[in-house]
Amino acid sequence: FHPTESVADKVSSLLLFVPEVMLHVSRPVRWDSDHVTILNDETLELCKEIVRCGALDRVHIGLDYFDASINRIGAYVIGSRATQKCLMQALLEPPPVSRPASSAPSSVPNSAPAAESWELTLVNAKHPLPGDWQVQPVEVKGGQRVDERILPALQQLFDAARAEGLYPVVASGYRTNEEQRQIMEDKVAAYQREGYPELLARQAAAQWVAQPGTSEHELGLAVDINPDETMDTGQELYDWLLAHAWEYGFIKRYPADKVDITGISNEPWHYRYVGQEAARAITEQGLCLEEYLERA
């Protein structure tokens, strides 16, 4: 790169074309004797960009710890701690775009926007599962469960996909609060096995897994749809769902360009039933559910 360019500026572009990126993080100097990574603007911006892209599990960082003036262990510790601090600061960074405040304050600040029907019930980090919410679970092929109210539309969606030579399966459907809690703990443990301190592990896990009580899976109206890997590939199915799911009342719940609103990283497999009318409007206008309800 040109000396005036930052590697951080390239991360988001690279991630559009490759599944994973390996970075060799160093500190260039005139003489080949002092490359140990430090906490500086370049390292911080690099970590911020990785976090903003929701790519902690796609970007692998290798640190240069050659330093002629101190021993290798000292250089390694200094570089590792500096990078961990940069990641910590990046994870604690507020969303880059603040949403406009309502003109009139709500008397119940954590209540969800009014929904016309059960299909539009909003559940996210700011709007927990309603206390009186009732799920009517029914088992689908493969052993997963969904609310029986969405089963006819889900079956139509799958029938249409199969007619196009695709073979979707419900990888995850309705979850109890305890099941959601266990999934979160498993994700945290996975990050810790990769060397993350517990705090960073929980923050990283929260980008992919909703806290218990705030997951759409607890509504019974959301499904993770993956391909039958013996029959077709994921990308082909995800492309088809993106183009046609709205016809059956489903929306891609967590788009890549709405992370600052939904708080969840891009999930091409996660679809939520909202009814055909809302699904059409959300898809045509390029909205997420939060935006749609705010405008309603």
Side-chain angles (χ1 to χ4, degrees):
F1 299 101
H2 188 274
T4 62
E5 292 183 308
S6 169
V7 176
D9 295 334
K10 314 296 181 181
V11 172
S12 58
S13 298
L14 286 171
L15 290 171
L16 292 174
F17 299 98
V18 296
E20 296 178 84
V21 174
M22 179 173 284
L23 296 176
H24 176 198
V25 181
S26 183
R27 181 163 59 98
V29 292
R30 180 178 297 274
W31 306 109
D32 187 22
S33 62
D34 188 6
H35 291 177
V36 63
T37 306
I38 61 173
L39 201 166
N40 57 15
D41 290 343
E42 289 81 3
T43 308
L44 181 57
E45 284 305 312
L46 183 62
C47 292
K48 284 183 176 181
E49 192 64 20
I50 294 169
V51 170
R52 289 166 186 161
C53 292
L56 284 168
D57 61 338
R58 295 175 58 196
V59 177
H60 307 277
I61 301 175
L63 302 177
D64 192 334
Y65 58 94
F66 178 78
D67 191 315
S69 59
I70 59 177
N71 66 54
R72 291 292 179 91
I73 295 176
Y76 175 79
V77 170
I78 291 170
S80 298
R81 291 190 65 184
T83 306
Q84 286 181 334
K85 288 178 181 178
C86 288
L87 284 168
M88 175 75 78
Q89 187 168 335
L91 286 162
L92 295 175
E93 181 183 47
V97 178
S98 297
R99 299 179 65 187
S102 172
S103 56
S106 169
S107 58
V108 185
N110 288 328
S111 61
E116 297 177 358
S117 62
W118 56 269
E119 300 103 317
L120 296 177
T121 301
L122 178 64
V123 169
N124 58 24
K126 296 181 179 178
H127 304 106
L129 190 76
D132 59 352
W133 183 258
Q134 297 293 322
V135 179
Q136 303 162 39
V138 58
E139 188 170 308
V140 298
K141 184 178 180 180
Q144 293 293 325
R145 296 167 295 165
V146 299
D147 192 300
E148 67 175 6
R149 292 171 291 185
I150 75 168
L151 183 59
L154 182 64
Q155 188 62 60
Q156 292 173 9
L157 174 66
F158 276 31
D159 288 345
R162 293 187 184 108
E164 295 295 326
L166 302 170
Y167 299 90
V169 296
V170 177
S172 184
Y174 168 65
R175 301 172 189 160
T176 65
N177 182 272
E178 184 56 38
E179 289 170 337
Q180 184 66 26
R181 188 179 306 279
Q182 188 59 53
I183 289 172
M184 170 60 82
E185 291 304 315
D186 290 345
K187 192 69 171 177
V188 171
Y191 277 113
Q192 287 183 297
R193 286 194 295 271
E194 294 180 14
Y196 284 65
E198 182 177 359
L199 178 58
L200 285 180
R202 291 195 175 279
Q203 290 172 333
Q207 296 188 47
W208 296 99
V209 180
Q211 296 290 344
T214 68
S215 170
E216 285 199 329
H217 284 284
E218 295 174 75
L219 277 173
L221 309 182
V223 285
D224 289 347
I225 304 175
N226 284 334
D228 181 337
E229 295 181 351
T230 64
M231 306 296 287
D232 56 41
T233 64
Q235 193 56 54
E236 188 178 5
L237 174 62
Y238 299 148
D239 290 344
W240 187 89
L241 288 170
L242 191 61
H244 298 285
W246 68 268
E247 299 169 16
Y248 305 91
F250 290 86
I251 59 168
K252 179 182 175 181
R253 183 63 179 90
Y254 303 121
D257 61 343
K258 303 294 183 181
V259 175
D260 61 312
I261 299 175
T262 65
I264 301 293
S265 297
N266 177 39
E267 292 190 353
W269 52 81
H270 184 106
Y271 277 78
R272 159 70 190 271
Y273 184 77
V274 294
Q276 286 185 311
E277 182 181 347
R280 182 187 185 109
I282 288 170
T283 302
E284 288 182 347
Q285 298 175 43
L287 305 175
C288 62
L289 182 57
E290 285 85 351
E291 292 173 310
Y292 176 77
L293 291 174
E294 192 173 73
R295 298 182 184 189

